[in-house]
Amino acid sequence: MIRDNLKYVQEQIKIHGAVANRAISDIKLIAVSKTKPLAMLQEAYDAGCRDFGENKVQELVDKMEQMPGDIRWHMIGHLQRNKVKYIVGKVFMIHSVDSLRLAEEINKESAKRECISNILVEINVAGEESKFGTSDLNENLNLLKNIAKLSNINICGLMTIAPFTENAESNRIYFKKLHDFAYNEAAAYLPNEPVLSMGMTGDYGVAIEEGATYIRVGTGIFGEREYTI
């Protein structure tokens, strides 16, 4: 099942990438493996997945210790400052940096470990109260400006979680806003081709068409989520 699901997602990446005249190599798939057992992760790994995303620190660390060492782990869930020390120097990227205090904690732990942490700044483009980050342009620019001063952090780009919807097209506006913000107002604080982590199972096709470089797909690969962990 997982191999077939991955094949389908990869075909969709090609289709939507072609719509936007984008190189497929510029679009990376993160298999969101939260709550999934190791056997399912191994199946995805055997089918070619090397980027996995987790929401909870303890689950990420436990899986990391038991899975192959060439996996690139992504922390995509909300990160508490007191949990930073468990993942700095271990994960490939932290997608959910939503405050200066969190960034400063990541910077402090990174300095202790003599490493540079790759991060994305989380932008609440849709302004949903249930999501972290803010939609305020000036606040986001100020956050980026201050994080950019931290010596042990590498701002790779931006992340957003669009509203849950049955109609993927309704989220196009949010993906476009993140892309435009990255390449215009925020450009001074980001790489020339910033990472844009946006789009999940229900809307990744639209996200790709609007410039996503990382898409985060869980249900589309592993099936419906289980909450037993």
Side-chain angles (χ1 to χ4, degrees):
M1 177 193 79
I2 289 174
R3 186 176 292 273
D4 290 341
N5 289 346
L6 274 169
K7 184 178 180 181
Y8 175 79
V9 172
Q10 288 160 352
E11 288 173 350
Q12 291 299 305
I13 291 173
K14 290 179 182 178
I15 289 169
H16 291 281
V19 169
N21 196 29
R22 297 183 60 201
I24 304 306
S25 59
D26 293 339
I27 306 161
K28 293 181 172 59
L29 171 63
I30 298 174
V32 178
S33 48
K34 58 187 179 183
T35 78
K36 299 302 179 183
L38 288 172
M40 294 184 80
L41 274 71
Q42 187 64 51
E43 189 175 344
Y45 178 89
D46 292 342
C49 275
R50 290 298 181 270
D51 289 272
F52 288 81
E54 290 287 335
N55 274 46
K56 296 182 182 298
V57 168
Q58 188 59 55
E59 187 178 353
L60 188 156
V61 172
D62 289 345
K63 288 176 175 176
M64 181 184 294
E65 292 173 350
Q66 300 176 75
M67 291 294 291
D70 62 338
I71 288 175
R72 302 198 308 177
W73 293 95
H74 300 256
M75 179 62 195
I76 62 174
H78 180 62
L79 179 59
Q80 296 174 310
R81 295 195 307 279
N82 63 351
K83 300 289 182 66
V84 167
K85 59 188 175 184
Y86 299 113
I87 63 170
V88 162
K90 297 180 179 179
V91 299
F92 175 72
M93 187 173 289
I94 300 171
H95 287 231
S96 48
V97 178
D98 58 358
S99 71
L100 182 58
R101 292 180 70 191
L102 175 59
E104 288 172 338
E105 186 66 26
I106 295 170
N107 187 67
K108 184 180 77 172
E109 291 296 331
S110 301
K112 284 182 183 178
R113 289 161 176 73
E114 298 183 342
C115 68
I116 304 294
S117 287
N118 295 322
I119 67 123
L120 304 179
V121 173
E122 182 172 357
I123 308 293
N124 187 356
V125 179
E128 291 186 285
E129 291 186 6
S130 61
K131 305 284 172 61
F132 293 94
T134 177
S135 60
D136 184 274
L137 178 67
N138 290 327
E139 284 187 33
N140 283 317
L141 286 174
N142 193 49
L143 177 59
L144 284 162
K145 178 181 178 180
N146 285 307
I147 294 177
K149 297 174 184 176
L150 303 175
S151 57
N152 286 76
I153 280 183
N154 176 33
I155 305 176
C156 298
L158 307 175
M159 183 271 263
T160 197
I161 303 173
F164 176 78
T165 178
E166 297 293 332
N167 177 20
E169 192 63 36
S170 66
N171 279 340
R172 185 180 297 275
I173 185 175
Y174 303 120
F175 300 139
K176 187 176 189 306
K177 281 184 177 180
L178 190 75
H179 177 275
D180 290 350
F181 177 67
Y183 280 90
N184 293 295
E185 294 91 349
Y189 309 109
L190 301 175
N192 288 335
E193 295 185 6
V195 170
L196 296 179
S197 174
M198 58 188 193
M200 299 189 288
T201 294
D203 56 17
Y204 66 81
V206 172
I208 288 170
E209 292 176 12
E210 295 301 332
T213 59
Y214 279 125
I215 57 171
R216 311 180 302 270
V217 180
T219 303
I221 295 172
F222 296 106
E224 291 299 325
R225 194 180 312 163
E226 298 172 8
Y227 290 92
T228 53
I229 292 181

